[in-house]
Amino acid sequence: MREIAAANARIGALAVLGVGALVLAALGSPPLVVATLVAVAGVLEVAGQLGPLARGSTLGTPDAVSRAAAAAAALAALVGTGVTTATVCAGVAAVAALGVVWLEGVVGYAWREATRVVERLPGYEAPYSLGARQQLVTAGWYVAVVLATLTADGVRGRLALGVPALLVALATALTFVLVTRAATRAKATVTARIADALRAYGAPVMVYLSGPAGTEYQLGVWLSTLERLSERVVVVVRETALARAVVRMTSLPVVSAPAMADLEGLQVDSFRVALYVNNGAKNGHNVRYRELTHVQLLHGDSDKPSSYNPVTAMFDKVFVAGQAGIDRYAAHGVAIPSDKFVIVGRPQVADIAAGFVGAPVRTVLYAPTWTGFNQDNDFGSLDPTGPAIVRGLLAHEWTVMFRPHPYSLDDARSVSAIEEIHRLLEADAAASGRQHLYGDRASRTMSIVECFNASDALVSDVSSVPADYLYSGKPFVITQVDESPFESFVEEFPLARAAYVARLREPGSLDAALDALVHDSHASAREQMRTYYLGNFAREGYADVFARAVDHLVESPERAAAPERRPAAGADR
């Protein structure tokens, strides 16, 4: 998430610098000032490419807005100068720079296709690497524009910069054409090379992921489980930016497939099972290949609407943690044949240590969910109640662990609440000496399971977090953020029967729920709900249930691989 925020900040800064240079040039500012802004933008963009180059990753498409504005700024600066050989050359250089910007938008896809993300796939060798070539084009482009802008200065000696500006611009344009030509030729062999490597690798399990940048956490909750499977696994990611993020998270082979043709080229005979961790809009592109057994896992098992989405019915199998995962579909009118469901437990909770009934509460984890993509999925307590919840925890003299949802870091109001909570915890730590855990220590250094094990109780919202916490047997509070009757809330979210519910819009309810953590009368209810939500499996070998279910599907003769894979009849290509 931080890398995404940094990238967005860099793009914004580039746009400000480019547009700023254009505005200043139009207002008649000295060309040296305009050229300085363009040069700063160039340094910023070239520096931003160093990270992907060091990782051997494909570079992102250059920011067209900032570049077009910078080239236009050079032309604007030249408008008021006299017509000389130098200024004409500089003008042609600026026009050539604008042409390269336009071409980048037209043929940039060829660069990306030729350098698809393919990592840790044995036997694959990329036919072409942009690498420093793209950075050379970037640097050359900015040098040409800066020289063209300085030509307008009129100061003796700088007029001579027009010819070098044109030469650099033409050299950059030629390099761009040659790189694009080579990338286009290489693109034709990429899919075949990947397919050959996949056949040789012989992995029977495909993990399919699609979504915007930042959704890699949805796969992240499954990675340690997938990496322990006895079967070979390949992760297929539809979006290039998301694929780059996934590469940094796992030791599994990762292949990007941005286009439909790319995805079809990956359908090799060895794949038997495809696993999905969300209901992404592009899932249907892969589900149409009927030689595979398509299995929906979801990234969280909760009472949220996302856990009973009707779209789930299109999969061949639906793996759920416990009977609750089956019942919630029927309870909400989603008809899915019973033979599609397989109860496999929740392997992510296998390392959660069991608590002791009646143990004193000293450390409480506050792990609120995010606001959701829409109002129907907004169960988050962070904004505006999060600071009040933390004040309540501090009033009980408890050590607080604070771990917000990753998506909350992209929401301005949530960020404001997070910052206020951090200030509260910092001030209390200074006054009381309690070692509260928050920020990177709680969200990055420690895993969610480690946070569970280090806490004595939990405060959370309607999400998969309290359902997973059931495995510990320790008490927890679930917040109710709306004003619906308590009976309706419990009926809609059955897990609340094992929780102490804090009705945040009802005065005194939060304090009462926190007090209940101390006296804890729901231990038996939590044990019953643990079986209902997480499956009736012994702790010993709990995580192996999922692995055996995957093995069974791989070995099943029901969907024998066809000699040549094709989409289902009538599928939209």
Side-chain angles (χ1 to χ4, degrees), residues 371-387:
T371 56
F373 285 117
N374 51 58
Q375 188 63 35
D376 290 342
N377 276 288
D378 187 0
F379 301 102
S381 62
L382 183 58
D383 173 50
T385 322

Side-chain angles (χ1 to χ4, degrees), residues 11-265:
I11 291 171
L14 288 172
V16 169
L17 289 168
V19 174
L22 176 58
V23 170
L24 290 177
L27 293 175
S29 296
L32 181 60
V33 174
V34 177
T36 299
L37 290 182
V38 176
V40 171
V43 171
L44 186 61
E45 185 163 351
V46 171
Q49 293 178 354
L50 293 177
L53 282 174
R55 296 192 298 268
S57 300
T58 307
L59 302 182
T61 302
D63 182 62
V65 173
S66 62
R67 287 203 185 184
L75 288 173
L78 289 164
V79 168
T81 62
V83 178
T84 65
T85 300
T87 56
V88 169
C89 288
V92 174
V95 171
L98 278 172
V100 170
V101 173
W102 178 76
L103 285 173
E104 284 173 342
V106 174
V107 302
Y109 76 92
W111 289 20
R112 295 189 295 274
E113 287 293 300
T115 54
R116 280 169 57 187
V117 177
V118 183
E119 297 287 344
R120 291 183 286 277
L121 179 61
Y124 175 78
E125 293 184 7
Y128 189 75
S129 174
L130 287 174
R133 297 177 181 88
Q134 185 174 347
Q135 197 171 38
L136 180 63
V137 171
T138 301
W141 189 96
Y142 276 103
V143 169
V145 173
V146 169
L147 291 175
T149 305
L150 288 174
T151 304
D153 200 318
V155 176
R156 183 176 298 278
R158 288 190 180 147
L159 287 173
L161 296 177
V163 175
L166 178 58
L167 293 177
V168 173
L170 292 177
T172 301
L174 178 61
T175 302
F176 178 85
V177 171
L178 294 176
V179 169
T180 301
R181 181 185 179 191
T184 302
R185 289 179 173 179
K187 175 181 178 296
T189 69
V190 169
T191 299
R193 287 169 178 260
I194 294 174
D196 289 344
L198 287 173
R199 291 189 188 96
Y201 189 56
V205 179
M206 171 198 296
V207 178
Y208 181 97
L209 180 66
S210 175
T215 53
E216 62 272 11
Y217 77 91
Q218 297 175 346
L219 175 63
V221 300
W222 281 100
L223 280 177
S224 61
T225 300
L226 296 170
E227 289 167 352
R228 291 196 298 263
L229 290 177
S230 60
E231 307 286 356
R232 287 182 172 179
V233 177
V234 173
V235 181
V236 174
V237 187
R238 296 302 305 280
E239 293 76 18
T240 300
L242 188 60
R244 292 195 196 108
V246 170
V247 164
R248 297 191 289 272
M249 298 168 61
T250 182
S251 60
L252 295 172
V254 178
V255 179
S256 68
M260 293 285 282
D262 301 332
L263 181 62
E264 183 156 348

